[in-house]
Amino acid sequence: MRFLPLCFLGALALATCLLSGCSASAVAWGGKTYRYQLDYGQSVILRNGYAAAPRHAPAAVHRIVAAGNRLQGRPYKYGGGHARVEDSGYDCSGSVSYVLIKSGYLKSPMSSKGLRRYGSRGSGDWITIYARDGHAFMTVGGLRLDTGYRGSGSGPAWTTRPRPISGYSLRHPAGL
């Protein structure tokens, strides 16, 4: 499954999503901007600040979502998650590293520069890591885990907000 732009969201899918409290804003990545796209039954959705994976998603996706959910509410901390995986706060690459470590896809934390060479090239079917010198974030089933989207210095959080992706390397864990 690749997250590509869709021109139409079915009324039933959108209504179901809105009634269940998830966020459905915009369309998946295309061009130079990443945008969330709800593909009912295929997308990780956002409910009350936490991610929820579809039942049929691979077990690894469920582990990654659970790890990302544990970061919610943690503050931004420059260098956080690098010296210690369990830290009092996390920066961008520390957040991505934490999720990958806790789900068994990375042995030790990596900087955003290091994440530019992580795993396999391109976007994954379920997971995509966006990395450039100075910043990194990831998408899981189309939902973005990022720092700073609520303003400078904000900690890791799931979001559906669009984000420019020009200059980022796209990587993914093998098989995902």
Side-chain angles (χ1 to χ4, degrees):
M1 162 184 61
R2 298 267 180 198
F3 289 93
L4 301 172
L6 287 180
C7 298
F8 175 76
L9 281 177
L12 179 60
L14 183 58
T16 303
C17 177
L18 294 175
L19 288 173
S20 66
C22 73
S23 176
S25 74
V27 188
W29 72 271
K32 301 289 183 192
T33 301
Y34 168 83
R35 295 183 189 277
Y36 177 73
Q37 173 182 318
L38 174 66
D39 184 1
Y40 188 73
Q42 301 294 314
S43 299
V44 171
I45 59 173
L46 186 60
R47 287 188 187 152
N48 301 319
Y50 292 91
R55 286 186 188 134
H56 74 279
V61 172
H62 286 274
R63 288 191 307 270
I64 288 168
V65 165
N69 283 342
R70 287 193 297 272
L71 291 176
Q72 302 311 294
R74 301 281 180 97
Y76 180 87
K77 178 181 172 185
Y78 182 78
H82 290 279
R84 297 182 318 207
V85 174
E86 295 293 337
D87 209 337
S88 60
Y90 294 84
D91 67 9
C92 60
S93 56
S95 299
V96 172
S97 293
Y98 177 90
V99 169
L100 293 172
I101 290 167
K102 293 299 183 175
S103 59
Y105 284 93
L106 189 63
K107 294 202 184 297
S108 61
M110 297 179 89
S111 67
S112 56
K113 187 175 181 178
L115 287 167
R116 291 177 62 192
R117 293 180 299 280
Y118 170 80
S120 301
R121 281 191 181 147
S123 61
D125 291 337
W126 283 96
I127 311 297
T128 302
I129 297 160
Y130 295 77
R132 64 173 168 79
D133 290 347
H135 192 64
F137 64 91
M138 70 188 307
T139 60
V140 181
L143 188 62
R144 192 171 100 233
L145 179 65
D146 203 350
T147 58
Y149 88 93
R150 293 176 301 218
S152 180
S154 63
W158 296 107
T159 182
T160 59
R161 291 185 180 175
R163 181 176 192 63
I165 58 170
S166 183
Y168 284 86
S169 296
L170 279 63
R171 310 293 291 188
H172 65 277
L176 291 177

